[in-house]
Amino acid sequence: MRYLPILITLLAAVFLIWKALPPGAPSEGPDFRAFGSLPVVSGGRIKPLDTVARYALLETSGRTRFEIRDENGEVVRSGHNAWLAEVLFASRDAGTRPVILVENEEVKALFDRQADPEKRFSMTDIGPFSDEIERLARAAFNKPMDHRNVFERQLTALYQRITVIGQLYHAIQPPGLRDYTELVRGLPPLVESAVPETIRMQAGEQHNTAILARLADILHAFREVQRLHSFYAIPPRDPDEGLYGWSDIGSVILDEVARGQAHPAVDAWTRIADAYRIIPVDNGAAFNAEVDAYRQWLATSGHQRLRHAKVEAWFNSLSPFYVSMQLYVLAFLVVLAFWVVGHTSLRDAAFRLLVLTFVVHTLGLAIRIWLSGRPPVTNLYSSAIFVGWGVLALCLLLERGFLKNGIASAAAAITGFSSLLVAHHLSFGGDTLEVKMAVLDSNFWLATHVIVVTLGYCACFLAGFLAIVWLALGYARARFFDAAARKALLGAVYGVLCFGLLFSFTGTVLGGIWADQSWGRFWGWDPKENGALLIVLWIAMILHARWGGLIKEKGIMVMAMGANIITAWSWFGTNMLGIGLHSYGFMDEAFLPLVGFCVFHLVLMVLARWMPPPRNGPPPPPPPPPPP
């Protein structure tokens, strides 16, 4: 048992190193990982196709896994990047893949599949009914979200999924196109030959209508690409133009290629598209070569931020926050083993695992900061990640300096896992690196008010989860959880609440200053502002009741659990009201989990009323002296 902490830590470190190693190119077949590292601009930032593919597949099908099978049912290609390549370059084949999530039976009835037990359908299934779906969806969009019934909400979700697929179909080329390179290279001579025919037509002379019709069809197709594209794939010729110099491929072909000006990126994309179609013939050799050639051109073109796309693709593959969730679970199990067995080496192993988790969690935050160029908290997703990180940092200090009995480690594991689980579900809403509100476009206030008030959230949740551990150990009558341990835990909860009051109050005041600068008023009784004030008042009530002797150990713990309810309301509940200047990140699906979270804590607060006394109670009174 002496070397157990070192052994467990080394095994976890080896696992992390294995996860962090960038995957090499496949020995044979198309290299879709390299394809996924190609940069594009979407959502106001440069990102890799890997990110585009992940969130597009997640939005349309509710998952990020995808497999292409042959007629024998064997997997030919897999992964979100393989799916995106097929959508971009072979839309006819992609249209047969069941990736569009439809769960409502009434919505299924719109395309005659109401009796089908499947939940995912293809564009081939839905396409013939798209006009009717669009008509009904547009009518539903005209209603406020809180006035739409279940059918209308599911219908608008289906329409948005169809729109995502349709925009991807037009991101690189007109759907269903063959011989893309030959078509693009043949466009300038076609335009040149069409000029005299146009002059003859305008003069009323005999002209070649086939040439003009052919040109009109091609121009119309590329105008559709220009209108419906999903992302900007063509970087500017001058790297100094930066982010806003990027363009969609349809616009570049209409503006430059049609006039005989060759653009290297257009040529590269057309060759990649044509190489994709011969993968069954050469097993991806031409596709890999064209992707690598384009990557080499990008590397030598002078664009400074393009390496962000490569790092982000690696970051997506590493998934540091998902890895952290696994480490949190492992640390919690080791803490439980320590409480059962009682050997201190298990407590030390759990602590070292949490230190390693802190490194991984911090690395994930640091990379997100570097990729976005912003402070760590910019939206609900990033706030959930930061809350878990802040609680872990506080728990490491408590475990090493005060408690030393695994309680802080257990609270860190529970809170860290829970916050990252919340973040995981929030990621279903789209790109997590985008800032959701225009007023949040201020790095100074994101680095002050938002971080400070989020640290207040961290302290409130930590105090609440320490109280939950207090309740669980009290009912379990753990042998180490005696009066001294309970006193130490009470002191930790008290200290964390003081920390939370300081940061919650300071963050709320800073928020008022920001509001005064942005909206012209310090306080407007906005639901989000009211929620922040409730946190401050609730913690102040706990501390004043403690100082006044109105509550003791049990009262403090019960009210600390209540702080979790108040904080969850301020964090999520205020957004669900759909009113106020702070209403962002609305998620209909989050209502029931939030209600369940609150009910769970209310039940725990009631159970605390009958918690048994400490295992080692006060010593018995001394026996009376013997009679003289």
Side-chain angles (χ1 to χ4, degrees), residues 361-376:
H361 205 141
T362 304
L363 175 65
L365 278 175
I367 295 177
R368 282 180 57 86
I369 293 171
W370 181 74
L371 289 173
S372 64
R374 296 185 178 278

Side-chain angles (χ1 to χ4, degrees), residues 60 92 105-106 180 189 194 277 291 293 345-346 360 370 392 433 442 456 487-488 491 500 535 550 625:
T60 55
R92 291 178 181 173
E105 296 299 324
E106 291 184 75
Y180 194 17
R277 297 187 186 93
V291 169
S345 63
L346 291 170
V360 178
W370 181 74
L392 176 56
L433 282 170
S442 168
K487 182 178 180 181
I535 294 176
L550 300 178

Side-chain angles (χ1 to χ4, degrees), residues 483-484 614-623:
R615 186 183 184 93
N616 297 326

Side-chain angles (χ1 to χ4, degrees), residues 53-64 424 427-430:
R54 283 176 182 269
Y55 288 112
L57 187 58
L58 186 64
E59 184 174 355
T60 55
S61 69
R63 58 188 179 187
T64 57
H424 174 71
S427 68
F428 292 174

Side-chain angles (χ1 to χ4, degrees), residues 319-362:
S319 300
F321 302 120
Y322 184 75
V323 172
S324 296
M325 290 176 66
Q326 297 172 312
L327 292 176
Y328 280 126
V329 172
L330 179 60
F332 182 70
L333 293 177
V334 175
V335 170
L336 290 182
F338 161 66
W339 288 342
V340 173
V341 177
H343 203 288
T344 57
S345 63
L346 291 170
R347 179 198 63 195
D348 296 339
F351 181 81
R352 294 186 182 187
L353 274 175
L354 288 174
V355 170
L356 189 61
T357 307
F358 182 77
V359 173
V360 178
H361 205 141
T362 304

